[in-house]
Amino acid sequence: MVLTAAILVTAITHCAPKEKGQPLAVDLGLPSGTLWASCNLGADKEEEYGSYFAWGETAPKDHYFYDNYAYAAPDGSQSTVDIGESICGTQYDAAKALWGGSWRLPTEEEMTELIDLCEWKWDSVGDTYGVRVTGPSGKSIFLPAGGKNGKLEDGELQCAYWTGSVSRGGIGRTASSLDCTWDEENDETTLQVWGEYKVFGLLVRPVCK
């Protein structure tokens, strides 16, 4: 028990600094050693949505589209300026910019690992619906279903979260993201990593090692 406590304290210290509403670094027992934050970027509790971010931007805003995207192509082609194949831990990483320490966006590989090796179940915390993700260690994180661009579509619950990796294809317009969606009409759940338009506002769940 003493050893477990020491490991947890080391993990939290390594991920710091975020002082107010300090998130826990949750060890889900994943082979990569990735630790997942206990709450979203911009939140202090696991049930709070937090803030929405366009890919590569480090501040939330009122609306999300090409007309106010920081890295929109100057020719108006609805493409984007190349800021790298991975922005994890760079100046374009919202988690790094706002939480500091070793917090950052997850990579596509880390998000895929979370899907493949964890148990996912729809759940609620208070009035907030989302997904409880339980790892091999038995510990879990809760991902609120906050949709994208600050809203949920009618008849759907959607967990939409950025990775720091660009997607394959997409003509430079898309980056990899988590899509976990429940379709009420068909009573079906989709769980995947896919390419989302960079200009859209998605939630962020930081990671560290």
Side-chain angles (χ1 to χ4, degrees):
M1 182 63 71
V2 174
L3 178 59
T4 301
I7 291 173
L8 180 58
V9 170
T10 300
I12 293 173
T13 302
H14 181 62
C15 296
K18 179 188 185 288
E19 297 179 0
K20 184 180 180 182
Q22 179 73 29
L24 294 178
V26 182
D27 185 355
L28 297 172
L30 299 169
S32 68
T34 304
L35 306 176
W36 286 79
S38 58
C39 64
N40 285 348
L41 189 61
D44 291 323
K45 299 178 181 178
E46 66 173 357
E47 68 268 26
E48 295 175 351
Y49 292 155
S51 303
Y52 297 81
F53 299 87
W55 196 79
E57 295 185 354
T58 58
K61 51 192 180 182
D62 293 334
H63 77 281
Y64 299 84
F65 203 61
Y66 288 98
D67 63 334
N68 69 346
Y69 182 50
Y71 308 108
D75 60 4
S77 62
Q78 292 197 347
S79 186
T80 61
V81 174
D82 181 10
I83 58 173
E85 293 188 2
S86 174
I87 61 171
C88 296
T90 71
Q91 62 181 316
Y92 307 109
D93 185 325
K96 178 68 174 179
L98 298 180
W99 280 10
S102 60
W103 292 109
R104 57 170 173 80
L105 285 160
T107 64
E108 179 179 332
E109 290 76 18
E110 289 165 340
M111 189 67 80
T112 300
E113 178 184 59
L114 191 73
I115 291 174
D116 290 345
L117 299 184
C118 294
E119 179 184 53
W120 293 63
K121 286 187 176 181
W122 290 105
D123 195 4
S124 62
V125 176
D127 295 329
T128 303
Y129 288 97
V131 178
R132 177 67 59 184
V133 183
T134 304
S137 69
K139 296 180 181 179
S140 69
I141 57 173
F142 178 74
L143 299 178
K148 54 190 176 186
N149 298 334
K151 64 180 181 180
L152 289 167
E153 298 295 331
D154 291 340
E156 285 188 346
L157 290 177
Q158 183 182 36
C159 295
Y161 286 76
W162 282 126
T163 79
S165 308
V166 297
S167 61
R168 299 173 181 85
I171 321 177
R173 300 175 185 175
T174 61
S176 293
S177 67
L178 167 70
D179 173 45
C180 182
T181 304
W182 179 63
D183 182 344
E184 181 180 30
E185 181 178 351
N186 298 309
D187 191 22
E188 292 180 348
T189 295
T190 299
L191 178 59
Q192 62 183 345
V193 171
W194 75 334
E196 184 60 271
Y197 286 106
K198 296 176 181 178
V199 299
F200 288 164
L202 272 58
L203 297 173
V204 170
R205 179 57 61 96
V207 300
C208 70
K209 286 187 176 179

